[in-house]
Amino acid sequence: MRRALAGVVGAVLLLAGCGIPAHTEVQVDGSGPAVAAGAASFRRGEPPTRTASGDDRAAFVRNFLSAAAGEPERAYERVKQFIAPENRARLQEKQGSEIAVNVVRLTERPVITENANGLFSVRLPVQQIGLLRANGVLAPPVVTETEYRFGLRGSVLPEQEGTEEAGLFVTDPPNVLLLGVDALRQYYQTRPVYFWSSDGSRLVPDQRYLPLAVPDERRVSEVVKWLIGGPSEWLSTGASRLPDRTALINNAIENEGRWEVNLDLPGDDNRRLAQIGIQLAWSLPELDGQLQLTTRNQSRVMIPDLRRHRLEHPAYPVTGNPQRFTVYEGAVHPLALPDEGSAPVPLAPEVNRDVFSAGLSRGDRRVLAALVVRAPGGRQRLATGSGDGRVQIVNPSPQIFGTIGRPVWLRSPDPRQPYGLVVADRRLWRFDDRGRMDPVPLNVAGPVTAVAASLEGHRIAVVIGGVLHLASVNVDGGVVTAGPARKVATSLTDLSAVDWAGENTLVLAGTTGRSAVYEVSIDGAMETALVADVGARVTHLAAYPTNPVVPLPTVLIMYEANGVAYRYPQRDTIRRDQVVDVSPPPNGARPGSPTAPFFLS
């Protein structure tokens, strides 16, 4: 499967004295982000058995945190093999869709202590990441424990040596299934399934986890069942479900290179069946052959070439030519970097002045501009506009603020009604190209400090109270509304900036004791330290994400810290001589620095 997380082996980040715990699943950056889509993993099989670790207690604990991995129907059976027989009743089993695994991140190494009676006590300090459900959704956590404690014992009697009763056992076990994020990375494949947006204009990716132990012949059926089950709860505002009572008739089968899926689809709507075909084409990226969809009443859609079908039906509109810009001495300028082209600023000179930061976007041959500009009294205001190839006029908003963050445009399905989002004075606001601004209510209290929009325009990442949150977005009747915000746990604290690194990954700036930039999956489970020590708080962050529609080799990132702009993965500063169309400073004058870099695509 091509859409697995890359870097699944990963390294452990060990930075003594900088606030990062002695044991953590954060991965050290190597050749590029480790959670980007598009890589492959073909590993199969179950996690290690109880006896695989021998007498190695640390390895036994690691294997215990892997035991729940795999197909959910056997999760309790695998875990109970690790538990002493006299204690197995303490782990109460659940069935079917109620089976759920608590995914945790170790915040330091397990502490294993020998007791006076010759037995051992184990303490696991953890961060709760989420609840992995049978449908592959990693939902928000429902427990709050920051540590788990249990015991270890060996064989009860000497004559049990070499029998099934030999080896280590867990005593006084936790009353929930536990799964470490290392095991999640090792025994599952991350893959998005795609749902139509609430307006039916584009596809919205929903991240799921598929056990690698699931046989290939069942994987198509599993994805179809996920689509029938509907999107994750937090996506329900921005994504739509299949018609009620849709069902899979038997399992999908492969017949001479053609996959056949038989559905019970209410109404036998051929148009709806064709839409499901597009969903499946994107949700099964490893399939390049034929797919036939049939309903109980013999309505039929045949896709002769899934690869071509994806090319002919993009999941969402996106271009593959991101262009870099920056703010220099109060105006937007292009950046000319090695091996990259540059383009003229799509702003008329009369509007390109007194700028602090900007957000530019292309939409249906038009350029959208949102500029944070100077206002009287040292304050700031938003000015927005649109134009054919160049923005000649911007409309200042009537509101004036102390500070305004980086404005972002949503990829609106209606080019006549473009909308964007911006943080101003610690509140989230929506805006249009006519300078109108309105607050966007959120269900989470706290100061809002950053917002970023996904490529398809129906999901946003928001930093509230220094913590990452996700929400779906719906544009209905010209009003941008955000669904319930989901809190996401990460190793970073005191977040200052966020943007999208991929369909289901984010790039975050925060602290681990030192200011850092991480790439994080949208559920917080997978982390990669891109820059472990920035040296100063990151105040501005912009990325152009990888995506399957127009693939890029890696996510492109630019950020600003302490008034200096940087780019990743090159890890070098953005210099004044890389800014296009600027005059040299007068003799003896100190040249300015590029600030607030961003991408136009």
Side-chain angles (χ1 to χ4, degrees):
M1 298 283 176
R2 292 200 300 253
R3 190 108 20 141
L5 287 175
V8 292
V9 177
V12 175
L13 184 63
L14 296 173
L15 294 177
C18 67
I20 297 177
H23 177 87
T24 171
E25 285 80 3
V26 173
Q27 294 178 280
V28 179
D29 172 60
S31 59
V35 292
S41 176
F42 292 93
R43 289 176 301 168
R44 293 289 184 269
E46 303 286 351
T49 63
R50 179 184 64 84
T51 57
S53 57
D55 295 328
D56 188 330
R57 291 181 291 274
F60 177 87
V61 171
R62 287 196 301 270
N63 292 347
F64 178 60
L65 290 178
S66 301
E71 299 199 63
E73 297 80 17
R74 295 186 54 236
Y76 284 96
E77 175 188 341
R78 291 189 297 268
V79 173
K80 285 190 172 184
Q81 290 176 357
F82 283 73
I83 298 174
E86 66 272 18
N87 288 159
R88 287 173 183 168
R90 298 191 181 191
L91 184 61
Q92 297 182 354
E93 294 193 30
K94 297 181 180 180
Q95 303 295 326
S97 62
E98 294 185 352
I99 299 174
V101 180
N102 290 270
V103 177
V104 296
R105 174 180 292 117
L106 294 177
T107 55
E108 57 183 272
R109 287 191 180 95
V111 179
I112 304 175
T113 305
E114 185 172 6
N115 303 323
N117 58 6
L119 303 181
F120 294 87
S121 298
V122 179
R123 182 174 68 89
L124 294 179
V126 301
Q127 180 185 38
Q128 297 288 343
I129 301 301
L131 199 64
L132 182 61
R133 300 191 180 278
N135 63 357
V137 170
L138 185 55
V142 296
V143 294
T144 58
E145 280 82 356
T146 58
E147 69 174 28
Y148 291 96
R149 293 176 181 265
F150 53 87
L152 292 184
R153 72 160 175 82
S155 303
V156 176
L157 299 173
E159 59 265 24
Q160 292 175 339
E161 190 82 23
T163 70
E164 291 184 0
E165 290 76 23
L168 297 170
F169 286 93
V170 170
T171 60
D172 299 322
N175 62 355
V176 295
L177 298 177
L178 295 179
L179 184 73
V181 294
D182 279 342
L184 181 69
R185 183 185 300 116
Q186 186 171 359
Y187 296 107
Y188 292 81
Q189 178 191 63
T190 58
R191 59 182 307 146
V193 291
Y194 291 82
F195 294 89
W196 286 102
S197 58
S198 52
D199 54 30
S201 66
R202 58 200 61 186
L203 294 176
V204 181
D206 185 9
Q207 176 151 292
R208 302 295 174 98
Y209 290 89
L210 183 69
L212 292 174
V214 173
D216 286 340
E217 60 270 17
R218 277 185 35 220
R219 294 189 165 215
V220 174
S221 297
E222 290 297 311
V223 171
V224 175
K225 292 174 184 177
W226 288 348
L227 290 177
I228 292 173
S232 298
E233 185 176 354
W234 75 275
L235 275 180
S236 58
T237 302
S240 58
R241 305 174 63 93
L242 298 186
D244 290 342
R245 302 187 307 280
T246 299
L248 175 64
I249 302 173
N250 301 319
N251 282 329
I253 61 172
E254 186 179 15
N255 185 8
E256 296 182 352
R258 180 181 69 197
W259 280 96
E260 298 177 2
V261 177
N262 193 7
L263 297 173
D264 186 356
L265 182 65
D268 280 334
D269 186 342
N270 274 333
R271 182 187 65 85
R272 194 66 174 115
L273 196 61
Q275 290 180 322
I276 295 174
I278 297 173
Q279 288 179 262
L280 282 173
W282 281 100
S283 301
L284 296 165
E286 70 276 13
L287 300 185
D288 293 335
Q290 296 181 351
L291 175 67
Q292 177 179 296
L293 299 176
T294 307
T295 68
R296 186 185 294 275
N297 292 332
Q298 301 304 306
S299 296
R300 181 175 297 177
V301 166
M302 169 64 78
I303 300 175
D305 186 328
L306 283 165
R307 180 177 178 276
R308 180 177 294 276
H309 204 69
R310 287 187 285 270
L311 294 174
E312 294 173 348
H313 300 86
Y316 40 79
V318 62
T319 61
N321 186 28
Q323 296 166 349
R324 300 179 191 255
F325 291 87
T326 189
V327 175
Y328 184 81
E329 295 185 343
V332 176
H333 291 270
L335 283 171
L337 300 177
D339 302 322
E340 293 186 19
S342 64
V345 177
L347 300 171
E350 55 269 24
V351 304
N352 190 15
R353 57 188 182 184
D354 298 328
V355 178
F356 290 100
S357 66
L360 302 179
S361 180
R362 294 191 186 97
D364 193 35
R365 301 180 183 177
R366 294 177 66 79
V367 174
L368 306 174
L371 309 176
V372 179
V373 298
R374 192 182 312 277
R379 294 168 67 80
Q380 299 175 5
R381 67 164 20 118
L382 190 68
T384 64
S386 60
D388 293 327
R390 193 183 199 198
V391 178
Q392 304 282 351
I393 299 174
V394 292
N395 307 289
S397 66
Q399 298 97 329
I400 296 178
F401 303 93
T403 58
I404 302 177
R406 181 175 69 94
V408 295
W409 289 97
L410 297 173
R411 292 182 179 270
S412 172
D414 186 354
R416 298 167 299 178
Q417 290 187 320
Y419 296 98
L421 295 171
V422 70
V423 174
D425 284 353
R426 299 186 168 231
R427 294 183 67 186
L428 183 63
W429 298 75
R430 58 178 172 251
F431 60 85
D432 61 16
D433 61 340
R434 300 173 187 175
R436 292 180 295 196
M437 294 182 65
D438 296 288
V440 177
L442 296 169
N443 69 322
V444 177
V448 182
T449 52
V451 64
S454 62
L455 277 176
E456 88 287 338
H458 284 270
R459 299 171 298 162
I460 58 173
V462 191
V463 176
I464 306 174
V467 177
L468 176 63
H469 293 76
L470 294 176
S472 60
V473 172
N474 185 25
V475 180
D476 187 9
V479 177
V480 178
T481 57
R486 170 187 172 172
K487 181 180 177 181
V488 179
T490 71
S491 296
L492 287 173
T493 60
D494 191 22
L495 301 183
S496 60
V498 63
D499 207 349
W500 290 77
E503 277 195 334
N504 287 306
T505 55
L506 300 163
V507 56
L508 299 176
T511 182
T512 58
R514 298 179 180 179
S515 181
V517 177
Y518 276 29
E519 188 177 6
V520 179
S521 59
I522 60 171
D523 48 36
M526 309 298 181
E527 294 186 336
T528 302
L530 303 181
V531 185
D533 186 3
V534 175
R537 183 176 177 83
V538 174
T539 54
H540 182 96
L541 176 68
Y544 189 83
T546 60
N547 65 91
V549 180
V550 183
L552 294 174
T554 184
V555 60
L556 304 176
I557 300 170
M558 297 186 291
Y559 60 94
E560 180 185 340
N562 197 27
V564 179
Y566 301 85
R567 61 179 182 139
Y568 182 92
Q570 293 79 11
R571 304 189 187 213
D572 55 10
T573 59
I574 299 174
R575 305 185 309 272
R576 178 197 167 280
D577 60 11
Q578 295 170 327
V579 182
V580 179
D581 298 331
V582 296
S583 302
N587 289 334
R590 183 176 180 178
S593 298
T595 60
F598 65 95
F599 294 93
L600 165 65
S601 62

